[in-house]
Amino acid sequence: MQDSSAAPELRVCAATDLVNGGLGVKVPVSDGSGRTTAFFVRYQDRVHGYLNRCAHVGVELDWEGSFFTRAGDLIMCARHGATYKPDTGLCVGGPCKNGRLTALSVEERDGGVYWRPAGKIRPAEDTPA
Ligand code: FES
């Protein structure tokens, strides 16, 4: 049986828009407490999506869509430098070590990247301003 609280699947971008360790794609979302963004990146050929909220202070992680360290092996918060494993969202360095990003359900198929919203995190268009 399907979860009746699930929102319709959203096509985030073309699969080719995400390259390993490259820029992320951001989508405006609401998480029930306010508006922010979600982000989608590619790491080791797989796509991953997270709520764009650092486990340290709760601000957005990126600087103009850039989420990765220069080496492309970790996600790094632009504010104070916390680092996260791109495939799990686990914080492995910085002020919120052992914290975690909120992972989203993401799938790549037919040349596209798709997010299936669930819980409180929804595309911002779905919610009143
Ligand atoms: S807000 Fe991200 S490391 Fe401080």
Side-chain angles (χ1 to χ4, degrees):
M1 196 163 135
Q2 277 218 313
D3 177 1
S4 60
S5 68
E9 186 176 67
L10 182 81
R11 187 180 191 276
V12 174
C13 61
T16 53
D17 289 344
L18 298 179
V19 299
N20 283 321
L23 292 178
V25 169
K26 292 168 56 171
V27 173
V29 302
S30 169
D31 70 346
S33 62
R35 289 193 175 205
T36 182
T37 58
F39 70 95
F40 300 85
V41 292
R42 185 181 297 279
Y43 174 70
Q44 293 185 341
D45 297 330
R46 303 191 70 160
V47 293
H48 302 276
Y50 297 100
L51 186 66
N52 194 6
R53 181 172 289 157
C54 184
H56 179 213
V57 175
V59 298
E60 294 193 339
L61 294 134
D62 64 303
W63 177 255
E64 297 184 350
S66 178
F67 289 91
F68 282 97
T69 57
R70 197 166 296 179
D73 58 345
L74 292 169
I75 290 170
M76 186 168 75
C77 178
R79 187 68 64 97
H80 309 115
T83 49
Y84 297 88
K85 291 192 61 133
D87 53 348
T88 64
L90 178 66
C91 182
V92 292
C96 47
K97 190 169 182 185
N98 297 322
R100 194 176 281 275
L101 299 175
T102 301
L104 306 177
S105 177
V106 186
E107 184 183 0
E108 179 177 3
R109 67 171 192 276
D110 305 326
V113 176
Y114 296 85
W115 166 37
R116 183 175 294 278
K120 290 183 177 174
I121 304 170
R122 301 296 174 106
E125 297 76 27
D126 279 7
T127 58

